[in-house]
Amino acid sequence: MSEDNGSKPPSPELPPKPGKRLTLGHIADQLGISTATVSLALRDSPLVAEETREKVKQTAEEIGYIYNRSAASLRTSRSQIVGVAVHDILNPYFAEVFSALEDVLEEQGQMIFICNHRDDVKRQRAFVNTLLQHRADGLILCPSVGTSAEEINRLVDQGIPVTLVAREVSGVWAPCVRGDDMSGTYQITKHLLAQGHNDIAMVGGRRDSSTGRLRNAGWRKALSEAGIDPEGQVDLPELMTQADGRAAVPKILEAEPRPTAVVGFNDLVAFGMMTTLRRAGVEPGPDIAITGYDDIDGADARTPALTTVANQPEKIGRLAALTLLRQIAGDRVPNKPIVIEPELRVRESSPPPGVRLAPRLEE
């Protein structure tokens, strides 16, 4: 008869007792090398031979080791984490900017945390606080409406590298990489004036952001130079999306005099207007010229193909990433805007009044 020591067999419903967490030492012991070499190999250090690096990574994968980035950051004061925050990741333009900066950062071994703050400054602040808790190496920020220079400067003063992208905030101690928004809408408005349009509306743009103000200013400048009072034109602020563009159409059609052309804040607003105008029996192009901004994917494939402004997302994204990496490396970067010149792309949607350039759509 077996001795009963009071112990009970484990319940079959309970999971097995968890094992010990794997460490660098497990890999080092298995390969017969030091833990320091293992650590360097997992960080792709050139101090370790490529063959050894591959053996270390293969062994780590086989035994299921996960690199402890938090512990490494305590040793090196670098987390290899960069935060990226924008206001509308669903906008294809920002997806292109993100793709470009991601390529550059990943080449340097940086992992990216991304935030879609939706122009909610509280949401942005919560993201930044989370980054600080993770000891992030830096931040690339398209600042929310309502962002103050003081809160960005506070980060810079704490030694956090910051680079702004697309939008400026006056008085910040950080560089900004953006397109020349005033030049872009100035060029496109001048194009519409040259086509014979005199009633030219501006639709969209948050005027509390530098982008919204500058694009509106470019439209106003071109009209004023042509002797046209901008205050006598339709000007609809705050609109940013295709849904906003659709909602703007009744106001455009009810205006007196009705605009013969529209400068859209971005391509999404223009796309929304084009669809709804056609449903109202007004043909984009011959009946009312429509223009956009950003030249996102598909702008040239519409009927009519959209006249817009190429805002160089790849160049802006790459420069923003490289500028941040310079700061992370300890370089002093001037806290002034790096402004990229946009390029006007004239297509079928902006002909002279009454002229059709695109083929007629079948009913």
Side-chain angles (χ1 to χ4, degrees):
M1 184 173 180
S2 62
E3 182 179 349
D4 185 359
N5 60 9
S7 64
K8 295 182 179 180
S11 170
E13 287 81 17
L14 293 176
K17 183 179 179 181
K20 294 182 179 179
R21 185 182 295 273
L22 295 171
T23 67
L24 293 177
H26 289 85
I27 303 173
D29 291 344
Q30 189 161 331
L31 295 177
I33 58 179
S34 69
T35 56
T37 300
V38 173
S39 177
L40 290 170
L42 290 174
R43 286 183 279 137
D44 283 320
S45 170
L47 298 175
V48 179
E50 183 177 353
E51 183 180 355
T52 303
R53 293 202 304 265
E54 291 304 316
K55 284 182 180 178
V56 168
K57 290 179 182 179
Q58 183 178 348
T59 303
E61 185 175 350
E62 288 173 353
I63 69 174
Y65 174 79
I66 298 174
Y67 186 57
N68 191 334
R69 188 175 291 271
S70 296
S73 69
L74 290 173
R75 292 192 300 270
T76 66
S77 298
R78 293 277 295 277
S79 65
Q80 297 296 108
I81 292 172
V82 166
V84 180
V86 299
H87 65 277
D88 186 8
I89 195 61
L90 298 179
N91 185 330
Y93 175 76
F94 283 102
E96 291 182 51
V97 171
F98 176 74
S99 178
L101 63 86
E102 182 181 43
D103 286 345
V104 175
L105 293 172
E106 285 190 346
E107 286 174 2
Q108 299 303 314
Q110 295 284 352
M111 297 295 292
I112 298 169
F113 287 2
I114 189 164
C115 171
N116 185 31
H117 59 62
R118 306 173 196 167
D119 267 331
D120 181 340
V121 73
K122 291 182 180 178
R123 187 182 180 93
Q124 175 181 286
R125 287 169 185 155
F127 175 68
V128 171
N129 286 336
T130 300
L131 286 179
L132 295 178
Q133 292 166 17
H134 283 82
R135 303 168 60 92
D137 289 344
L139 171 66
I140 294 176
L141 176 67
C142 178
S144 167
V145 168
T147 302
S148 68
E150 288 74 20
E151 56 192 304
I152 295 176
N153 291 344
R154 197 177 305 122
L155 295 174
V156 175
D157 199 40
Q158 293 173 16
I160 309 297
V162 179
T163 295
L164 303 187
V165 65
R167 290 176 173 177
E168 282 185 62
V169 175
S170 180
V172 300
W173 303 336
C176 174
V177 183
R178 64 170 179 85
D180 191 337
D181 295 296
M182 185 170 179
S183 172
T185 47
Y186 176 79
Q187 290 179 49
I188 215 161
T189 307
K190 292 280 284 184
H191 160 70
L192 291 171
L193 290 164
Q195 295 288 70
H197 296 281
N198 294 310
D199 294 303
I200 304 173
M202 174 84 190
V203 176
R206 294 197 171 109
R207 307 298 159 80
D208 284 337
S209 73
S210 65
T211 310
R213 288 193 303 272
L214 289 170
R215 291 186 189 178
N216 188 256
W219 168 76
R220 289 175 176 272
K221 179 183 178 184
L223 291 176
S224 298
E225 289 180 356
I228 299 172
D229 182 6
E231 297 301 326
Q233 305 294 307
V234 175
D235 185 10
L236 304 177
E238 302 307 307
L239 310 180
M240 304 287 286
T241 66
Q242 289 199 54
D244 291 337
R246 293 192 291 270
V249 167
K251 297 176 183 178
I252 295 292
L253 297 181
E254 292 164 6
E256 289 292 341
R258 193 175 91 178
T260 64
V262 176
V263 173
F265 171 77
N266 61 23
D267 291 344
L268 297 182
V269 168
F271 289 166
M273 287 191 290
M274 289 168 72
T275 301
T276 308
L277 283 169
R278 187 171 283 119
R279 286 184 173 273
V282 178
E283 190 66 20
D287 295 338
I288 183 167
I290 303 291
T291 66
Y293 205 109
D294 290 335
D295 196 25
I296 63 176
D297 184 39
D300 59 346
R302 296 265 169 161
T303 301
L306 182 65
T307 293
T308 184
V309 175
N311 200 22
Q312 316 294 355
E314 182 176 355
K315 183 180 288 188
I316 288 173
R318 288 187 62 83
L319 275 174
L322 290 169
T323 301
L324 186 75
L325 288 170
R326 284 181 58 196
Q327 294 171 268
I328 292 172
D331 291 354
R332 297 190 60 145
V333 178
N335 57 332
K336 63 180 182 181
I338 302 169
V339 181
I340 310 301
E341 185 64 25
E343 182 180 337
L344 177 63
R345 300 278 171 84
V346 176
R347 300 188 180 116
E348 299 164 342
S349 70
S350 59
V355 175
R356 176 184 295 278
L357 298 179
R360 187 183 299 273
L361 289 180
E362 296 294 332
E363 294 294 335

